[in-house]
Amino acid sequence: MPVAADEQTTYLELSEDTGSAHKFYEVRVAGVDVTITYGRIGEGGQAKTTSYPSPEKAAAAAAKKIGEKVRKGYAPAVRGVRQRRAVTRRAIASSRSTARQAPVLWRFRSGAAAFGIFVGEEHAWVGNERGDVYTLTHDGQVTGRYGLPDGVKCIVADDWWIYAGCDDGKVYDLGGKVPRVAYEIAADVDIYWLDIHDGVLGVADARGGITTVDHEDEFQWRRKAEGTDGWMVRCDEDGVYHGHSRGVARYAARGGEPLWHTRTDGGVLFGWQERDEVFAATSRGSVHRLRKADGSETARYRCDAAVFSCAASPDGRYVFAGDNHSSVYCFAADGTRLWKLGTGCGSAYSMQYRDGRLYLVTTDGSLVCLDASEEAVRAAEDGRVPQAAEVDGSGWTAAVAGAEVESVVAGSAAAAGGIEVECVAEGGRLRVRVVSPGFDPARRVQFPKDIRVPGARYLVAEVLESGSGAFYRARGDIKRLL
């Protein structure tokens, strides 16, 4: 389509070789209209058009926007030269189980293959490859829905905070009314799995790399494993545990020094952790139980096919596994198989045990709640199972991720009751600090990346201290103060 004589377009990109940024910013001026389009390189992005009283004022506004981005490190570029990040979606050739049906209490069909799951005190979360994230009560009632721009890799929790890792290379904070960007993963990383502890994000990738990023979204360290296909990463205060095609390795949380490496029977396809141990599910039908301290194996659990997910009870008494034949298993701590049952709705991509129930997300996109009590399992082995409730999730409109934020007048009724923070330029980056009294003004605040504006002040529902006490985190809805 021909460009009008008075139309001007400026296209900028910010792509850091060792950092996380991989995004574009385009400003198009057509008469009195200024259209700004922004997003990840290689994607369509989001667009907003603003009209001004005259072409001169439109041109001045556009120049101001361009200047702000150039000062942040953006530079002129040619669209299409840099490509979007690589994305690998997990695939299982799932077959039907020959075991008896498991005692399913309820089932929620999310609409696409589901990978992400987290079960907390009040809600179960599930995310699928369409980018939908749903929240449900433990009894199977849908309570909310978020819309992310790409497939959900996994859902992880860090104290009170819930994050969703997405195929677009971003990690979204799901603590407010709309998802907000908390982390952006480097563009050259093909993400396989994520975990987080006290604000430090661990990222395992296709090439066997392990990377950590801190609460300010700043690169900490990166290591390359002996193998590839890093489908396992688990983080705690002292270590990062990385599972790949040639076993499991532990790295020091600070600095990334290698501490141990243990070979496994087959490539690692999933990982779980408890306080003192990690569990690695493998392609040859095993789940390895390893001590965090030295990597020694304390037990091994044998399944009948490749294991794509595993979990354990908090006391380590029970260990669970899901294979690619739509079966789930339960073992005693010493390795004795207690039972094997069929899901009836595909193979489990991920799982979590809580309060006598086993929650699965499966290849057909279902979030399933199984009754894992001894009584229910014995009845299922005899062919007696409850009628599973089908949960209806229709009618929920997704809260879509975006960079827009509501503005309120300082001192107004709408601004009452919040905590004020300020965005400041420091060392070439935008930092956020608490302005309201009662907080340490020197500590930084983990705050959404995509709404930071130099010099702007925001109203946050809550600001809570991190587990280590080293920084603060914004929690809940955010408004910009005028």
Side-chain angles (χ1 to χ4, degrees):
M1 185 174 67
V3 178
D6 61 344
E7 182 175 312
Q8 294 183 339
T9 299
T10 301
Y11 178 79
L12 308 172
E13 288 183 347
L14 177 61
S15 185
E16 301 169 349
D17 292 336
T18 59
S20 62
H22 191 63
K23 49 194 175 182
F24 75 91
Y25 192 86
E26 182 184 79
V27 179
R28 181 169 60 86
V29 183
V32 299
D33 295 329
V34 176
T35 300
I36 294 174
T37 308
Y38 61 92
R40 300 285 289 182
I41 291 172
E43 300 174 4
Q46 303 178 58
K48 181 180 179 181
T49 300
T50 305
S51 298
Y52 294 86
S54 67
E56 293 74 19
K57 290 189 176 181
K64 181 180 178 181
K65 293 289 187 182
I66 293 167
E68 290 175 353
K69 291 300 178 181
V70 169
R71 286 191 291 275
K72 290 182 180 180
Y74 282 77
V78 176
R79 184 187 288 273
V81 173
R82 289 191 179 98
Q83 301 299 311
R84 68 166 290 169
R85 69 182 312 113
V87 174
T88 299
R89 297 193 190 275
R90 186 155 209 177
I92 295 179
S94 178
S95 60
R96 188 174 181 83
S97 177
T98 57
R100 285 188 177 271
Q101 173 64 44
V104 175
L105 297 177
W106 54 262
R107 173 183 179 183
F108 170 66
R109 303 172 191 262
S110 74
F115 307 94
I117 182 176
F118 174 74
V119 184
E121 291 185 6
E122 298 181 358
H123 293 97
W125 302 68
V126 58
N128 66 28
E129 68 176 19
R130 290 183 183 173
D132 286 319
V133 178
Y134 293 89
T135 63
L136 297 91
T137 65
H138 294 170
D139 291 330
Q141 299 297 314
V142 178
T143 58
R145 179 185 176 189
Y146 297 89
L148 301 183
D150 212 332
V152 176
K153 286 285 190 189
C154 53
I155 299 175
V156 294
D158 194 16
D159 291 331
W160 294 97
W161 287 264
I162 304 291
Y163 299 92
C166 194
D167 278 336
D168 67 352
K170 299 179 183 180
V171 178
Y172 292 85
D173 179 353
L174 303 181
K177 291 181 180 177
V178 298
R180 299 288 186 192
V181 177
Y183 301 86
E184 289 190 62
I185 312 304
D188 63 343
V189 176
D190 184 358
I191 304 165
Y192 269 28
W193 210 253
L194 305 166
D195 197 21
I196 189 169
H197 177 78
D198 198 29
V200 176
L201 183 74
V203 184
D205 63 45
R207 294 176 291 184
I210 184 75
T211 305
T212 62
V213 182
D214 73 3
H215 66 280
E216 282 277 71
D217 195 33
E218 294 184 352
F219 171 84
Q220 295 296 289
W221 53 263
R222 179 179 293 180
R223 297 288 181 269
K224 175 65 175 68
E226 293 183 16
T228 60
D229 301 320
W231 285 113
M232 168 186 172
V233 57
R234 295 291 176 178
C235 305
D236 65 16
E237 183 178 356
D238 300 315
V240 176
Y241 307 88
H242 182 211
H244 46 79
S245 63
R246 301 189 69 183
V248 180
R250 177 187 174 189
Y251 299 90
R254 297 165 185 80
E257 293 80 11
L259 299 177
W260 53 256
H261 177 259
T262 300
R263 292 293 181 91
T264 54
D265 181 20
V268 176
L269 302 179
F270 193 84
W272 184 262
Q273 73 168 335
E274 292 298 328
R275 187 185 65 180
D276 300 319
E277 298 169 308
V278 290
F279 301 79
T282 74
S283 58
R284 292 185 179 174
S286 294
V287 178
H288 295 256
R289 184 171 187 157
L290 309 175
R291 287 194 181 97
K292 286 184 174 180
D294 57 11
S296 60
E297 182 175 286
T298 60
R300 188 179 300 190
Y301 309 94
R302 291 294 305 172
C303 301
D304 300 326
V307 184
F308 279 82
S309 58
C310 63
S313 60
D315 57 6
R317 180 183 178 187
Y318 298 114
V319 176
F320 303 91
D323 69 16
N324 67 335
H325 289 177
S326 304
S327 297
V328 289
Y329 303 76
C330 178
F331 298 89
D334 65 0
T336 303
R337 183 190 292 187
L338 301 178
W339 51 262
K340 172 187 176 182
L341 296 167
T343 69
C345 54
S347 301
Y349 271 126
S350 188
M351 62 171 57
Q352 186 174 338
Y353 174 85
R354 188 181 182 94
D355 298 333
R357 295 180 174 185
L358 187 63
Y359 297 82
L360 314 174
V361 287
T362 70
T363 48
D364 78 351
S366 295
L367 171 62
V368 180
C369 177
L370 306 185
D371 186 345
S373 67
E374 292 182 11
E375 297 78 10
V377 169
R378 283 198 298 267
E381 290 177 325
D382 290 337
R384 294 178 287 110
V385 294
Q387 178 65 44
E390 290 288 341
V391 178
D392 182 11
S394 62
W396 283 91
T397 301
V400 180
E404 297 297 321
V405 62
E406 179 186 353
S407 296
V408 296
V409 177
S412 66
I419 297 168
E420 192 172 334
V421 300
E422 182 177 26
C423 186
V424 296
E426 179 184 292
R429 292 178 66 95
L430 293 177
R431 312 291 189 186
V432 177
R433 300 185 186 277
V434 186
V435 177
S436 296
F439 297 87
D440 182 351
R443 292 186 190 175
R444 296 170 181 168
V445 180
Q446 187 182 47
F447 190 82
K449 291 175 60 66
D450 52 350
I451 61 173
R452 297 186 184 193
V453 176
R457 290 198 173 193
Y458 301 87
L459 200 68
V460 179
E462 284 186 284
V463 173
L464 301 178
E465 191 177 73
S466 69
S468 63
F471 62 96
Y472 295 116
R473 278 174 158 159
R475 182 169 184 249
D477 296 323
I478 298 171
K479 300 176 182 178
R480 184 173 177 181
L481 291 174
L482 298 177

